[in-house]
Amino acid sequence: MRIVYSAATDKGRRRENQDKIFIDEKELCFAVFDGMGGEQCGEVASDIASSTMNDNLNLSLNDICMKANADICSYMKKHHISCMGTTAAMVRFENSKIEVCNIGDSRVYKFANHELEQISHDHVMNMGMFKTRRILTQYLGVPENEMIIEPHTEKRAVESGEIYLICSDGLTDMVTDEVIMDIIIKSDVRNASENLVQAALANGG
């Protein structure tokens, strides 16, 4: 299986970038982790999740999520941190199939036949009078005594020419699916990720 990919990230208006991109060309694994928590805790959480994935590629993506959750919780307990975490969106290609796993609001999209399809699941709850406030219902960094996390996982067949987008809410909160699709259509794969980042930045991301 031949895969062409590109990746880009930017801290935008934040003081630091808490996102982490994971790429393993040999195992054809790709992931985005979007850290949460003050005083660089989010950056630590996404780093832990990425390291856990790197060290456990023999496991299923669901099991990697469970292991990363345990590793982040162990770090929190050791360093007396009350709350930190990260979302995760991960894919792995193997034998003309794709394994998809996500938790939180980082997403995986499939683009084919001029249609953009979200194949991940948002773990969010809309709050407030006009339901404009989004609260994560699941993420990596939840102690088992509070809740057993349930990452969304699935496997699909892969066809030649399909495009997959893995992204954090730093893109999807700023750019509509219609604009994302238009950029993908008009961009070479090698330039698409940077063009998407620039679109998010232009909208204040």
Side-chain angles (χ1 to χ4, degrees):
M1 181 183 297
R2 178 176 178 269
I3 294 177
V4 178
Y5 71 88
S6 64
T9 184
D10 194 289
K11 67 182 181 65
R13 295 184 177 183
R14 294 183 177 180
R15 288 186 298 176
E16 67 272 337
N17 191 343
Q18 297 187 339
D19 290 359
K20 186 77 173 181
I21 297 172
F22 176 88
I23 297 170
D24 189 298
E25 294 182 344
K26 182 179 179 182
E27 297 295 331
L28 298 181
C29 287
F30 305 83
V32 167
F33 302 98
D34 181 5
M36 306 170 293
E39 299 181 356
Q40 297 184 324
C41 287
E43 183 179 356
V44 173
S46 59
D47 275 342
I48 292 172
S50 180
S51 295
T52 300
M53 186 171 189
N54 184 65
D55 295 340
N56 294 275
L57 289 175
N58 59 307
L59 301 178
S60 69
L61 296 185
N62 182 81
D63 287 347
I64 289 173
C65 263
M66 305 305 283
K67 179 71 168 59
N69 187 69
D71 289 348
I72 293 169
C73 289
S74 177
Y75 182 94
M76 290 167 58
K77 184 177 181 180
K78 180 179 179 181
H79 294 274
H80 308 287
I81 299 171
S82 59
C83 183
M84 64 182 265
T86 182
T87 67
M90 308 181 291
V91 303
R92 171 159 49 197
F93 296 91
E94 185 178 9
N95 298 327
S96 299
K97 290 186 178 180
I98 182 173
E99 180 185 7
V100 180
C101 181
N102 87 284
I103 186 165
D105 58 359
S106 290
R107 294 180 176 177
V108 181
Y109 288 92
K110 169 188 170 182
F111 177 75
N113 300 317
H114 287 267
E115 293 185 358
L116 187 69
E117 175 191 4
Q118 181 181 338
I119 57 176
S120 57
H121 175 79
D122 290 345
H123 298 101
V124 299
M125 180 183 299
N126 295 320
M127 302 289 288
M129 182 179 298
F130 300 104
K131 295 186 177 181
T132 55
R133 185 182 175 205
R134 291 161 49 105
I135 304 296
L136 287 179
T137 58
Q138 293 201 41
Y139 55 89
L140 301 180
V142 180
E144 286 189 358
N145 61 349
E146 293 184 14
M147 180 180 68
I148 303 298
I149 62 170
E150 297 181 12
H152 168 80
T153 59
E154 65 175 279
K155 289 187 178 182
R156 291 177 167 225
V158 173
E159 299 292 338
S160 177
E162 292 177 344
I163 296 175
Y164 291 87
L165 169 66
I166 314 167
C167 60
S168 72
D169 66 345
L171 175 66
T172 55
D173 282 354
M174 297 292 119
V175 184
T176 65
D177 285 3
E178 289 75 19
V179 172
I180 289 173
M181 184 169 65
D182 187 59
I183 291 172
I184 291 174
I185 291 172
K186 294 179 179 179
S187 303
D188 179 271
V189 169
R190 293 179 175 84
N191 299 319
S193 56
E194 184 59 39
N195 292 343
L196 289 165
V197 167
Q198 292 305 315
L201 293 174
N203 288 337

